[in-house]
Amino acid sequence: VTPAAAQQIKNSARQSQAEGLPLRIAATRNPDGSLHYGMGFADDDTQQDVSYTSEGITIVVSPVSLDLLNNTVIDYVELDSGDKNFIFKNPNDPNYKPAD
């Protein structure tokens, strides 16, 4: 999690009264091989979840998503449209292109 993403996650947690809850990250493989991502605050956790802390954010990932998300960086950036959004920089995604 980049510092910009961490700040936005903290802001979102405060606005949705989810402070103190971990952030659940998930990924599934689409039929074309690309990845679909999901994230939200987790008010449940299972014994199988793997937990990480990055930039002060506790992240939980299910074992099903773990391999798909290995080495992923979550950032919060301004897109071409001028809107800001979370992006997943994931070397496991066939559509990922590292910055030059």
Side-chain angles (χ1 to χ4, degrees):
V1 175
T2 65
Q7 186 59 50
Q8 184 58 32
I9 292 165
K10 290 174 186 174
N11 291 343
S12 295
R14 201 171 19 261
Q15 291 170 358
S16 62
Q17 299 177 338
E19 290 177 289
L21 293 178
L23 184 70
R24 179 174 297 282
I25 307 295
T28 56
R29 191 165 301 280
N30 293 318
D32 67 357
S34 66
L35 296 180
H36 175 77
Y37 301 98
M39 63 186 222
F41 296 104
D43 56 1
D44 63 335
D45 62 356
T46 67
Q47 300 248 328
Q48 294 86 16
D49 285 341
V50 177
S51 180
Y52 300 93
T53 301
S54 177
E55 294 292 327
I57 305 296
T58 301
I59 301 163
V60 292
V61 179
S62 75
V64 174
S65 294
L66 198 56
D67 285 341
L68 295 175
L69 292 169
N70 192 30
N71 295 315
T72 297
V73 173
I74 300 170
D75 201 355
Y76 189 71
V77 299
E78 187 170 334
L79 303 175
D80 292 335
S81 63
D83 294 331
K84 287 192 166 189
N85 213 331
F86 289 102
I87 62 168
F88 292 79
K89 299 176 183 177
N90 184 349
N92 304 302
D93 190 330
N95 294 323
Y96 173 71
K97 294 177 181 63
D100 293 331

